[in-house]
Amino acid sequence: MSNIHQLNSLPKQTTINLIASYQGDFKHDNFSYHQLLEKLQSTVMHNHFMDQEDNAAWMNHRGNDYLANPNLFAHAPLTYLCVFLSETFKHNKLSQIEKKISPSVFEAILKRLNDFK
């Protein structure tokens, strides 16, 4: 397991900013959860978003707390947000994510990511 508190493992600021900008998708009348997930996955994969880090253990323990209570993201450190995103897209297909994770989780993540722009 990687040390998730190491700032040098974070992705580039431009990538964080790009992902945070997807929060605007929730404000559109024609919001498509599937399209949002496709954009997130594409950005995460294309930018090698923490793909060398192994944080599966954190995701299994702490990540489940955040899944159960997305309000926790409102005060989550940047490293937790990045680990959650990277592990989610690294180990799941879009169809699995769409079934297992509610849009409100990603809305909370993206809202908090905007604080780090």
Side-chain angles (χ1 to χ4, degrees):
M1 181 170 106
S2 299
N3 181 353
I4 66 168
H5 300 288
Q6 293 292 321
L7 296 179
N8 62 353
S9 66
L10 289 173
K12 294 178 183 176
Q13 186 65 48
T14 54
T15 304
I16 292 169
N17 293 350
L18 176 60
I19 291 174
S21 74
Y22 297 155
Q23 180 192 9
D25 288 15
F26 286 97
K27 296 175 181 147
H28 291 98
D29 291 335
N30 58 348
F31 170 72
S32 168
Y33 184 45
H34 185 77
Q35 286 179 346
L36 172 66
L37 292 176
E38 285 178 336
K39 284 184 359 182
L40 285 168
Q41 181 185 46
S42 175
T43 303
V44 166
M45 297 305 180
H46 177 74
N47 291 287
H48 306 285
F49 194 93
M50 297 183 77
D51 62 358
Q52 299 301 311
E53 305 295 321
D54 178 14
N55 293 302
W58 181 91
M59 190 66 174
N60 287 332
H61 298 324
R62 298 291 306 270
N64 286 327
D65 294 340
Y66 286 83
L67 274 174
N69 185 2
N71 293 329
L72 294 173
F73 285 115
H75 302 288
L78 179 58
T79 54
Y80 285 17
L81 301 169
C82 292
V83 166
F84 190 94
L85 286 169
S86 70
E87 292 299 315
T88 296
F89 288 100
K90 193 184 311 180
H91 298 292
N92 297 287
K93 295 181 180 179
L94 283 183
S95 60
Q96 294 171 308
I97 297 168
E98 209 166 357
K99 289 177 187 174
K100 291 188 332 186
I101 302 176
S102 114
S104 63
V105 171
F106 287 102
E107 186 172 22
I109 291 169
L110 298 177
K111 182 176 181 184
R112 178 65 173 151
L113 270 179
N114 268 302
D115 295 338
F116 295 101
K117 282 176 124 179

